[in-house]
Amino acid sequence: MPLRDLMLGLLVIAIWALNIIVIKVGVAELPPLLMTTLRFMLVAALLVPFYPVARAQLPFLLLLSITFGSLHFALLFIGLGQAEAGTGALLVQMGTPFATLLAVVFLKEKLGAKRIAGLLLSFSGVIVLAGGPTLPSPLPLTILLLSAFGWAVSQLLIKRGPPIAPLALAGWVALFAIPQVALGSWLFETGQWQAIQQASWRGWGAVVYTAVMSSIVAYGIWYALLRRHPVNRVVPMTLLVPVLAVGLGALLMGDSLGIHKLLGGGLVVAGIALIVLNVGQRRPAKPV
């Protein structure tokens, strides 16, 4: 890979890793579901007018908005409000093992020795993480794993669904997810208007960053790289996302770096490496 494209790939990884930190900053000022709603509104406003889709594709995009928009993103924002940034980044990576298992069950893909070892390592890492002090209760663990499962289901749907340009998919999924997440905020959160009025530049900056930098700029660069290079040369870089997120969490948020996080995180990343490097030509990974 040319140095220019390598640097672009590393820029995307840095954007995605910092996205975890930015979400935590944002949910400290805005209720998680409200922030998710604002993020979707901005993504839809910036993408939908420029990426039309066929009417026949709308039912598929509506279904995807439930699994990807509501289940994955909404639970990600809620979970990161209750867990350390690095731990959250590691748990969300479990979407890859979940996607592997779903592909075996529903697409009849075969499990080789490397993928089995990767699954065992990944789930062992979660067990180690769950036994450490970085998760104060089982709730953040469950929420973040459900978010990862929503990502995995979405990848299965995307793989079997109609071909849609990535940014068109992002825009229309965001559009259809807006009323779902807004309803959740109305039912389960309070003080939304006060939060909007009192939010500082950090809160609003977090909304803009997660929508523009993470969802539009980073994905635009990423899919351009995937078009220019073999998938198995690009996808392995995503393994740096949780590693960098753990480091940024410790540096910027004061997160702990205990033995449970280092050992559990190492197992998760090693397991996902085995899975991704084995199937990289068939299913590209997609961080948050």
Side-chain angles (χ1 to χ4, degrees):
M1 185 181 297
L3 179 60
R4 173 180 173 273
D5 285 357
L6 177 61
M7 297 305 295
L8 286 173
L10 293 177
L11 172 63
V12 172
I13 299 308
I15 291 173
W16 279 334
L18 186 59
N19 190 52
I20 300 292
I21 310 299
V22 170
I23 291 174
K24 279 199 66 68
V25 172
V27 296
E29 297 194 10
L30 296 164
L33 292 178
L34 173 63
M35 181 178 171
T36 310
T37 303
L38 295 172
R39 172 195 182 277
F40 283 149
M41 291 174 65
L42 184 54
V43 170
L46 292 174
L47 293 180
V48 169
F50 306 101
Y51 291 92
V53 296
R55 181 173 298 180
Q57 296 172 333
L58 295 181
F60 170 73
L61 291 167
L62 177 59
L63 174 61
L64 198 60
S65 73
I66 298 173
T67 63
F68 202 26
S70 296
L71 186 57
H72 171 59
F73 277 109
L75 292 183
L76 173 66
F77 279 51
I78 294 172
L80 286 176
Q82 304 178 50
E84 289 187 354
T87 303
L90 291 166
L91 291 175
V92 170
Q93 297 302 311
M94 291 302 294
T96 298
F98 286 149
T100 300
L101 291 175
L102 289 174
V104 171
V105 174
F106 293 103
L107 302 183
K108 308 303 179 184
E109 291 188 3
K110 295 182 180 180
L111 279 178
K114 286 185 178 181
R115 297 174 78 183
I116 293 175
L119 289 171
L120 293 175
L121 284 175
S122 298
F123 285 103
S124 298
V126 172
I127 293 173
V128 173
L129 284 171
T134 59
L135 291 181
S137 73
L139 184 58
L141 171 64
T142 303
I143 291 174
L144 288 167
L145 288 179
L146 283 174
S147 172
F149 184 75
W151 179 90
V153 173
S154 301
Q155 301 314 297
L156 189 70
L157 292 174
I158 292 172
K159 186 173 183 178
R160 303 295 289 181
I164 301 176
L167 291 182
L169 187 146
W172 286 88
V173 165
L175 180 66
F176 286 134
I178 290 170
Q180 303 169 36
V181 183
L183 178 61
S185 177
W186 181 67
L187 291 174
F188 301 112
E189 296 176 337
T190 58
Q192 292 93 326
W193 181 241
Q194 291 84 351
I196 289 176
Q197 291 179 309
Q198 297 172 8
S200 69
W201 66 269
R202 293 182 180 85
W204 290 110
V207 173
V208 173
Y209 184 95
T210 59
V212 177
M213 294 302 296
S214 179
S215 291
I216 298 177
V217 173
Y219 278 122
I221 296 173
W222 187 252
Y223 284 105
L225 292 176
L226 287 174
R227 286 193 296 268
R228 292 200 293 266
H229 303 284
V231 173
N232 61 350
R233 291 186 184 178
V234 179
V235 168
M237 285 192 288
T238 62
L239 296 171
L240 295 173
V241 172
V243 177
L244 184 56
V246 169
L248 289 173
L251 179 64
L252 302 177
M253 308 292 290
D255 291 352
S256 62
L257 285 177
I259 185 63
H260 285 86
K261 180 181 288 186
L262 294 176
L263 178 58
L267 290 172
V268 169
V269 173
I272 293 172
L274 289 177
I275 296 171
V276 170
L277 294 178
N278 191 37
V279 300
Q281 294 186 1
R282 291 199 300 271
R283 183 172 57 254
K286 187 177 181 182
V288 298

